[in-house]
Amino acid sequence: MVSRHISRNLLLSAFVAGSAIALSAFMPFSEAIAHPATQPICPGDQNITAETTTRIAEFPSLNTKVTIPTNFRTLLYNDGTIAILHPVDFNLIQCLALGQPVLGTDALQSTNFRLVPHSEGISPQDYATNLNMSGFTLSEPTVMQTTHGIQVVIREATEQSGLALEIAYAWYQPTGVDGIVEVSTTTKAELLDVLNRMQLSNQDISTVT
């Protein structure tokens, strides 16, 4: 359920710009960022796999909940974006926040949820159809229903140069939320996996595996 690549340099720039990660809504700050007495080198990729047991991550402001592996973590950014992170990527964020040298990967992956700014009164399909992304080629929008009956609109974006970065997006309108929610991941396959593990908060999620 991992997803979108984020450059280490971009993440560090976000800290400098004041968009550091806000953790208090999801876990105690002392648990999330423990300050060691020394600054050892942060390990890169580790042999950590997603646990087979799951838990429910709830995002009340988006009227949304998602089933995720027990050892995955959630983080809230200052701009309101919620990231679901593999434990390896969560460890990388901790190291970057502490200024520790990092070996191995220079990018982290996450599944991101956010409320689209100024999207009140706009349908997800209209928003997706009129979307333009400079430097990216967009696929035609497609409409589908998730396993649990949420109608979403999907588009894939491919960078026109450089690393040919691929990002898959979905948009939906949860009941009780004033605006459109956007989900972003690296590939369409990962996006569909997330969407089919997602439900509105007033739905029964107990049967999701």
Side-chain angles (χ1 to χ4, degrees):
M1 203 180 300
V2 293
S3 64
R4 181 177 180 179
H5 287 77
I6 302 174
S7 160
R8 181 192 306 171
N9 291 334
L10 288 177
L11 183 61
L12 288 171
S13 297
F15 283 119
V16 173
S19 298
I21 297 166
L23 305 172
S24 58
F26 294 90
M27 66 194 71
F29 186 80
S30 58
E31 175 191 349
I33 304 294
H35 292 271
T38 60
Q39 295 291 312
I41 293 177
C42 180
D45 290 338
Q46 303 172 29
N47 295 321
I48 303 176
T49 59
E51 294 182 358
T52 56
T53 56
T54 61
R55 65 183 179 90
I56 298 170
E58 296 204 46
F59 312 141
S61 64
L62 305 178
N63 189 26
T64 296
K65 55 188 176 182
V66 187
T67 298
I68 61 175
T70 305
N71 60 339
F72 276 46
R73 310 297 286 272
T74 56
L75 294 181
L76 175 65
Y77 290 86
N78 281 355
D79 67 357
T81 298
I82 301 167
I84 299 174
L85 292 158
H86 188 284
V88 169
D89 297 304
F90 181 79
N91 180 61
L92 174 60
I93 285 182
Q94 292 189 93
C95 292
L96 293 172
L98 293 170
Q100 291 179 232
V102 176
L103 295 179
T105 180
D106 65 351
L108 63 87
Q109 299 180 339
S110 66
T111 296
N112 296 329
F113 286 75
R114 74 178 186 111
L115 184 65
V116 177
H118 313 299
S119 60
E120 303 89 345
I122 305 172
S123 73
Q125 189 160 5
D126 286 344
Y127 178 82
T129 299
N130 295 319
L131 181 68
N132 290 302
M133 293 179 62
S134 178
F136 284 80
T137 300
L138 290 167
S139 66
E140 290 298 314
T142 58
V143 180
M144 63 161 282
Q145 277 205 336
T146 69
T147 299
H148 300 284
I150 302 173
Q151 183 170 292
V152 299
V153 184
I154 295 173
R155 294 192 79 172
E156 296 172 87
T158 304
E159 191 178 21
Q160 294 170 349
S161 61
L163 299 176
L165 176 69
E166 294 183 358
I167 308 171
Y169 292 94
W171 299 273
Y172 64 101
Q173 174 67 71
T175 55
V177 176
D178 194 10
I180 299 167
V181 175
E182 177 183 274
V183 187
S184 60
T185 69
T186 300
T187 67
K188 186 175 180 179
E190 290 173 352
L191 179 66
L192 293 176
D193 177 64
V194 173
L195 294 176
N196 287 322
R197 292 176 176 271
M198 178 183 80
Q199 289 184 269
L200 302 184
S201 294
N202 58 356
Q203 291 180 302
D204 180 13
I205 201 168
S206 61
T207 59
V208 178
T209 59

